[in-house]
């Protein structure tokens, strides 16, 4: 059997050529691997974007739109409750007025954004894009907290009161404080809903026009002509409602 022995290098030039070929091969392999990895991350980032857009446009953003559309209606009904308290109506009458106050109970989700952060996808987004997504989603937990608070206040409006008599002065004071809390919750939910809505525009996650139209139609069937059509424009930083909401936090 003939065994071929490796040929000796004939000078440093040939040696350098062989090493250069090896190094070039390694660099090409690394570049190909990095390109493939970058492509995989681009796919993951795009998938995360789509998931967040769906979550906002079909869930949180649409809820924000619906809530902003009925703020005035809810304020009118709170006025009616307060007039009943001031007139010292019976507990049963005030409770009937409270039942007419029907703010929608919604859960506010941020699963898609949390998944993007947990999977490190967010770190592969451009800084300005991540800031836009974060800016919208930062408001979602607060909306959830105020929604829960609103429900607690509404449930406590007639707690422990017998229905067969008029409310006392002490009870009227307590109920007035609850109504004031409901007013703050209504104002804050309106404000931060509109903040979320505006934030969805640059990231292309605003609720579709057809869905907005359907929500408005449904709200008008339930609440009447007091329903408004929210716009997607930003609120000025000096807005008095904005300042008041910060004081109430």
């Amino acid at each position: 059997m003939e065994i071929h022995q490796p040929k000796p290098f004939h000078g440093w030039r040939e040696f350098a050529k062989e090493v250069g070929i090896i190094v070039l091969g390694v660099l090409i392999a690394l570049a190909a691997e990095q390109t493939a990895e970058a492509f995989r991350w681009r796919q993951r980032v795009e998938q995360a974007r789509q998931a967040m857009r769906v979550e906002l446009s079909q869930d949180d953003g649409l809820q924000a739109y619906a809530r902003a559309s009925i703020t005035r209606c809810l304020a009118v009904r709170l006025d009616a409750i307060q007039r009943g308290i001031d007139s010292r109506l019976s507990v049963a009458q005030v409770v009937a007025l409270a039942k007419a106050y029907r703010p929608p109970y919604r859960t506010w989700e941020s699963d898609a954004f949390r998944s993007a952060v947990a999977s490190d996808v967010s770190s592969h987004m451009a800084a300005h894009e991540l800031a836009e997504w974060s800016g919208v989603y930062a408001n979602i937990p607060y909306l959830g907290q105020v929604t829960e608070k609103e429900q607690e206040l509404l449930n406590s409006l007639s707690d422990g009161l017998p229905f067969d008599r008029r409310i006392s002065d002490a009870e009227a004071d307590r109920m007035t404080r609850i109504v004031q809390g409901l007013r703050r919750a209504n104002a804050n939910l309106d404000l931060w809903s509109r903040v979320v809505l505006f934030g969805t525009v640059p990231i292309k996650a605003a609720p579709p026009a057809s869905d907005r139209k359907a929500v408005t139609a449904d709200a008008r069937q339930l609440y009447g002509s007091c329903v408004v059509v929210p716009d997607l424009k930003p609120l000025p930083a000096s807005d008095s409602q904005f300042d008041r909401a910060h004081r109430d936090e």
Side-chain angles (χ1 to χ4, degrees):
M1 182 185 302
E2 183 179 358
I3 299 176
H4 296 281
Q5 298 293 330
K7 296 180 179 179
F9 288 114
H10 299 287
W12 285 105
R13 179 174 295 179
E14 185 176 347
F15 175 75
K17 179 179 178 182
E18 293 291 335
V19 171
I21 291 172
I22 294 172
V23 170
L24 180 61
V26 171
L27 291 176
I28 291 173
L30 288 174
E33 182 179 354
Q34 289 176 350
T35 300
E37 183 71 5
F39 178 74
R40 286 193 292 270
W41 276 115
R42 282 197 298 272
Q43 284 186 312
R44 293 174 186 173
V45 168
E46 184 56 32
Q47 289 169 354
R49 286 193 194 105
Q50 292 304 318
M52 290 187 290
R53 284 187 180 123
V54 169
E55 187 170 64
L56 288 175
S57 65
Q58 299 180 17
D59 191 353
D60 294 329
L62 206 55
Q63 290 176 184
Y65 187 87
R67 181 66 199 218
S69 72
I70 63 171
T71 299
R72 187 170 65 180
C73 307
L74 296 176
V76 169
R77 296 186 182 188
L78 286 173
D79 290 342
I81 296 172
Q82 188 59 57
R83 285 195 299 271
I85 296 170
D86 294 340
S87 301
R88 298 299 189 269
L89 298 179
S90 69
V91 172
Q93 289 173 306
V94 174
V95 169
L97 291 170
K99 286 182 178 179
Y101 185 74
R102 292 181 289 175
Y105 179 77
R106 298 284 188 267
T107 57
W108 299 85
E109 310 297 341
S110 55
D111 294 343
F113 180 72
R114 288 200 301 266
S115 177
V117 173
S119 63
D120 204 33
V121 168
S122 59
S123 66
H124 291 265
M125 291 180 173
H128 73 277
E129 181 186 5
L130 180 58
E132 288 175 335
W133 287 109
S134 300
V136 174
Y137 273 103
N139 299 295
I140 301 303
Y142 179 69
L143 284 165
Q145 292 166 14
V146 179
T147 297
E148 292 294 336
K149 182 63 175 179
E150 182 180 54
Q151 291 298 313
E152 291 174 9
L153 289 168
L154 188 56
N155 293 335
S156 68
L157 194 57
S158 59
D159 280 355
L161 297 179
F163 280 20
D164 58 351
R165 63 169 174 78
R166 295 180 182 276
I167 58 176
S168 67
D169 290 345
E171 290 163 349
D173 289 342
R174 183 186 70 83
M175 295 172 82
T176 294
R177 288 193 295 273
I178 293 173
V179 170
Q180 290 171 345
L182 288 168
R183 289 188 193 280
R184 287 192 295 271
N186 187 39
N188 287 345
L189 285 168
D190 172 65
L191 173 63
W192 294 109
S193 290
R194 288 188 286 144
V195 169
V196 166
L197 281 172
F198 171 65
T200 62
V201 175
I203 54 179
K204 298 180 175 60
S210 58
D211 290 346
R212 299 199 304 267
K213 185 177 180 179
V215 164
T216 301
D218 290 344
R220 282 179 174 156
Q221 284 187 344
L222 186 59
Y223 293 93
S225 60
C226 57
V227 172
V228 300
V229 177
D231 59 37
L232 304 183
K233 296 178 181 178
L235 296 172
S238 59
D239 189 286
S240 60
Q241 189 181 18
F242 182 87
D243 297 335
R244 183 166 61 253
H246 273 290
R247 290 197 299 270
D248 292 338
E249 290 178 5

